[in-house]
Amino acid sequence: MLRLGRAVPAALRGSRRGTPAAQPRRGAEVLVGSAGGDSGGIAEILMNRPHARNSLGKVFVNELFSALEQLRFDEKVRVVVFKSQVKGVFCAGADLKERAKMDDAEVGLFVRRLRNLMDEIAALPVPTIAAIDGYALGGGLELALACDLRVAASSAKMGLIETTRGLLPGAGGTQRLPRCVGIGLAKELIFTGRQIDGQQAFSMGLVNHSVPQNSEGDAAYQRALALAKEILPQAPFAVKMGKLAINRGMEVDIASGMAIEGMCYAQNIPTRDRQEGMAAFREKRPPRFIGK
């Protein structure tokens, strides 16, 4: 049987302005916050490494792992938005200054850890949205690809640029990009190391939405937040099972995928939310889902 992890208590309170839920330690590069109004339910992973343009250094990666662990089993969290607090950049990719100090073995181990990080993002049980308001290059785009949904400012720049540095994508890009845009386009983008803007990314299906940038520089975040608020009222367990069925089903043939869908559906049948959905339909009122 397919199962999600056991829920454990956590304290995530909503706020109107998306401020951090708790005061972070001084100098933290990754913060966990909340948004979505007084009802809560939308968590934010806020990336804040301005001096290195949110590049994927050891401390930054460790703090991302910690943020994911904090949110993974929190029953109050229904959507997670990845957002940069550094204007003009989502994530610039690998920290090449740090990488230059590693020997070959250390590089291999660190890239494996990056790959594990992206897998952990993809495995979050709730929907995830990347708000790309600036540059998302190399590992930064791989991070966005590990999310379920992507929203980009039309002026944002994206690309798997590793071949321009004598490398190839090593944190999931060679696998997730072709599943997103198709094999031909993925090969072209990876072989050339080309950077594309948000509108081009939208036209090829790399992002779900492309929006004109605003004066505050957070247009993609605002659209991502609106998208998260569309998801927020829906039955949480059904959404989780839908994500699980899609993700697992994409890894197998369609007959096996149908079996996975059936197992996920069977787990949803006895939920109180399904009963509430039916009752709300009969009574012609909005449903009040509780995630159970």
Side-chain angles (χ1 to χ4, degrees):
M1 178 179 289
L2 297 171
R3 291 188 181 276
L4 293 168
R6 179 176 62 87
V8 296
L12 183 73
R13 294 187 174 89
S15 67
R16 291 194 181 277
R17 297 181 180 273
T19 53
Q23 289 298 316
R25 66 172 179 79
R26 184 175 179 83
E29 296 180 353
V30 177
L31 316 176
V32 176
S34 59
D38 292 335
S39 61
I42 302 173
E44 298 177 341
I45 291 181
L46 307 167
M47 299 181 290
N48 187 38
R49 195 184 183 210
H51 65 281
R53 298 174 38 141
N54 289 343
S55 61
L56 296 162
K58 290 180 180 179
V59 172
F60 189 75
V61 167
N62 288 341
E63 291 187 10
L64 280 171
F65 270 112
S66 296
L68 296 173
E69 185 64 25
Q70 180 177 339
L71 297 176
R72 179 174 305 282
F73 301 122
D74 193 326
E75 288 184 325
K76 296 175 184 175
V77 174
R78 299 190 181 185
V79 188
V80 175
V81 176
F82 284 77
K83 174 196 177 186
S84 171
Q85 289 193 300
V86 181
K87 193 168 184 178
V89 61
F90 177 73
C91 173
D95 186 333
L96 296 182
K97 290 182 180 178
E98 191 176 273
R99 185 77 58 88
K101 299 175 184 178
M102 301 179 187
D103 60 30
D104 289 354
E106 289 173 323
V107 170
L109 288 172
F110 186 68
V111 172
R112 188 183 309 164
R113 183 159 173 77
L114 283 181
R115 196 177 302 122
N116 290 340
L117 173 66
M118 305 314 171
D119 289 343
E120 289 291 314
I121 292 170
L124 277 175
V126 298
T128 53
I129 307 172
I132 307 170
D133 272 306
Y135 284 92
L137 303 176
L141 182 53
E142 288 177 306
L143 192 159
L145 283 165
C147 294
D148 298 307
L149 308 172
R150 286 159 294 283
V151 179
S154 56
S155 58
K157 296 292 183 182
M158 287 159 272
L160 294 180
I161 62 170
E162 285 84 351
T163 56
T164 70
R165 303 289 188 266
L167 301 166
L168 72 153
T174 65
Q175 302 306 305
R176 291 192 173 97
L177 185 62
R179 284 168 168 79
C180 187
V181 303
I183 293 174
L185 271 174
K187 286 180 176 178
E188 181 177 338
L189 292 173
I190 290 171
F191 294 170
T192 63
R194 183 185 305 148
Q195 296 182 33
I196 58 174
D197 63 28
Q199 189 56 45
Q200 290 171 307
F202 174 72
S203 69
M204 63 180 62
L206 177 55
V207 301
N208 298 78
H209 302 276
S210 175
V211 292
Q213 188 55 279
N214 58 28
S215 58
E216 289 76 24
D218 68 347
Y221 167 69
Q222 294 298 333
R223 184 65 185 89
L225 195 58
L227 183 55
K229 289 178 180 178
E230 281 189 73
I231 298 170
L232 197 59
Q234 315 315 323
F237 190 76
V239 171
K240 290 179 181 179
M241 287 294 104
K243 172 172 175 171
L244 188 60
I246 293 168
N247 285 354
R248 295 287 178 84
M250 288 297 293
E251 298 169 357
V252 298
D253 61 271
I254 192 166
S256 301
M258 292 294 185
I260 290 169
E261 181 184 277
M263 287 188 284
C264 290
Y265 198 95
Q267 290 189 66
N268 192 72
I269 289 174
T271 62
R272 289 166 62 183
D273 278 353
R274 187 188 73 86
Q275 297 165 1
E276 165 63 13
M278 296 300 100
F281 176 76
R282 289 193 305 270
E283 297 165 15
K284 298 184 172 150
R285 60 171 175 80
R288 296 182 292 272
F289 296 124
I290 59 174
K292 297 181 181 179

